[in-house]
Amino acid sequence: MEILHTVAEMQTRADKMRTAGKTTAFVPTMGYLHEGHLSLLRIGKNNGDDLVLSIFVNPAQFGPNEDLASYPRSLETDLKLAEQEGVDAVFIPTDKALYQEGYQTYVQLDKLPGHLCGLSRPVFFKGIATVVTQLFNIVKPRVAVFGEKDFQQLAIIRQLVTDLKFDISILGGPIVREIDGLAMSSRNAYLKPEMRPAALSLSQALTMAQEMVHEGICATDVIVEKTKRHFAQHSSIEVDYISICDPSTLDGVAAVEQDSLMALAVNLDKIRLIDNRILKGKK
Ligand code: AMP
């Protein structure tokens, strides 16, 4: 497994792969790998003949009061896991390699960031769209894989690739969960055992909502109200948003008639947790 740190090294490798007719599949991450990331690597492996992983905690997507400095890191373990998954190359740039002195170009979408996580994290998607654009130009993949856990991010990347005409197929990977239903996340490392019941209330709320729709309760305000009451059982939970929306535009819907996205974000003693599920509508 190759480990590359500079943009030039990575681009030279990418050009060689293209000349050799290889299809590079790419999985960008911030590291601290878990089964969710590994599932994306497996999708990449099955959809290309060269697999590249990047590990980069992107400063541009963190706001001033967010957890950039404390974001969990475990490079040695990550490299072992990557090797086990058959990764061919790992790109680990420094902050300065991507945001060199004098850097001033940012990629911003008009509409999709104006929903869900974008409302409380104003620089988040600008940072993500910018770094992903850079990584696409450096890794030069034919295929890139992103998790549905970050549903809005996946929607934004698909839009970005369409708008900027990147010749890259974007694949989505389903959310990987712990046995008890908690969506896997690097930030779960912050959770103390006593926080688990509150953390589990996200996946529980999504299941409850789907059950309500099955029973014919489709009005968004009724489902949201019930979800709020469910979260209110845990005093440590501060709700950021409970949204039921159109999965392609992320605009809110009044009722779950078509398949709709239910997306949740809460802060649990300052630990941000998100989860989502497509609620199956009757139509
Ligand atoms: P991150 O390292 O958190 O930036 O995530 C890197 C990629 O892994 C993103 O495309 C995420 O959506 C994806 N991912 C994170 N957690 C999960 C999960 N539980 N299941 C599937 N994909 C995930």
Side-chain angles (χ1 to χ4, degrees):
M1 188 172 77
E2 290 176 73
I3 297 172
L4 304 101
H5 294 280
T6 71
V7 171
E9 280 171 339
M10 195 65 227
Q11 284 178 323
T12 305
R13 182 188 183 279
D15 290 341
K16 277 192 200 140
M17 288 297 148
R18 287 213 165 183
T19 308
K22 300 254 192 197
T23 299
T24 296
F26 176 42
V27 179
T29 75
M30 299 207 295
Y32 208 76
L33 301 184
H34 51 67
E35 272 299 320
H37 298 115
L38 303 188
S39 72
L40 304 186
L41 289 174
R42 288 169 204 148
I43 294 172
K45 194 87 193 158
N46 289 331
N47 286 277
D49 41 27
D50 173 49
L51 181 58
V52 177
L53 163 73
S54 68
I55 298 176
F56 180 64
V57 182
N58 175 32
Q61 73 189 62
F62 288 80
N65 299 318
E66 295 179 0
D67 58 347
L68 173 63
S70 64
Y71 194 84
R73 289 162 168 89
S74 62
L75 191 55
E76 216 175 299
T77 318
D78 287 352
L79 293 177
K80 276 190 202 132
L81 290 169
E83 190 137 42
Q84 282 166 18
E85 294 301 328
V87 167
D88 296 292
V90 189
F91 181 47
I92 314 171
T94 58
D95 291 1
K96 277 271 169 294
L98 297 199
Y99 300 103
Q100 73 279 6
E101 207 54 47
Y103 187 90
Q104 53 180 299
T105 305
Y106 293 88
V107 179
Q108 238 169 324
L109 287 84
D110 263 350
K111 296 201 183 100
L112 284 172
H115 301 276
L116 311 178
C117 291
L119 297 175
S120 57
R121 305 187 73 187
V123 300
F124 186 47
F125 291 114
K126 177 180 164 190
I128 288 175
T130 300
V131 80
V132 169
T133 300
Q134 288 202 44
L135 290 169
F136 283 172
N137 283 326
I138 299 166
V139 176
K140 308 185 191 186
R142 291 287 183 201
V143 174
V145 195
F146 293 82
E148 289 169 2
K149 157 91 189 321
D150 299 276
F151 194 98
Q152 188 175 15
Q153 167 176 277
L154 176 57
I156 283 175
I157 303 299
R158 288 192 196 282
Q159 186 70 43
L160 170 102
V161 162
T162 303
D163 290 351
L164 298 185
K165 285 78 180 172
F166 278 108
D167 186 13
I168 301 173
S169 304
I170 302 300
L171 304 179
I175 301 178
V176 177
R177 298 177 179 281
E178 306 277 2
I179 291 168
D180 59 10
L182 181 68
M184 288 195 180
S185 163
S186 305
R187 287 195 171 93
N188 291 352
Y190 301 138
L191 292 173
K192 299 196 188 96
E194 63 271 22
M195 296 172 165
R196 195 85 179 178
L200 283 177
S201 64
L202 282 88
S203 57
Q204 287 163 355
L206 296 171
T207 310
M208 253 171 37
Q210 182 65 78
E211 281 163 5
M212 289 175 83
V213 175
H214 274 150
E215 286 161 15
I217 305 164
C218 298
T220 296
D221 52 358
V222 177
I223 301 172
V224 169
E225 204 41 54
K226 175 106 190 260
T227 308
K228 278 187 190 157
R229 286 204 301 275
H230 186 65
F231 286 148
Q233 293 169 1
H234 302 278
S235 57
S236 54
I237 288 188
E238 188 195 303
V239 176
D240 179 11
Y241 61 77
I242 301 168
S243 173
I244 300 181
C245 57
D246 179 307
S248 39
T249 62
L250 308 182
D251 291 332
V253 294
V256 182
E257 279 156 6
Q258 322 275 354
D259 288 358
S260 305
L261 174 73
M262 179 158 179
L264 306 171
V266 307
N267 287 304
L268 212 172
D269 290 341
K270 304 227 167 78
I271 305 168
R272 184 174 177 83
L273 298 177
I274 60 170
D275 203 347
N276 71 77
R277 161 178 191 150
I278 296 290
L279 299 179
K280 292 272 163 215
K282 294 253 157 70
K283 284 191 187 154

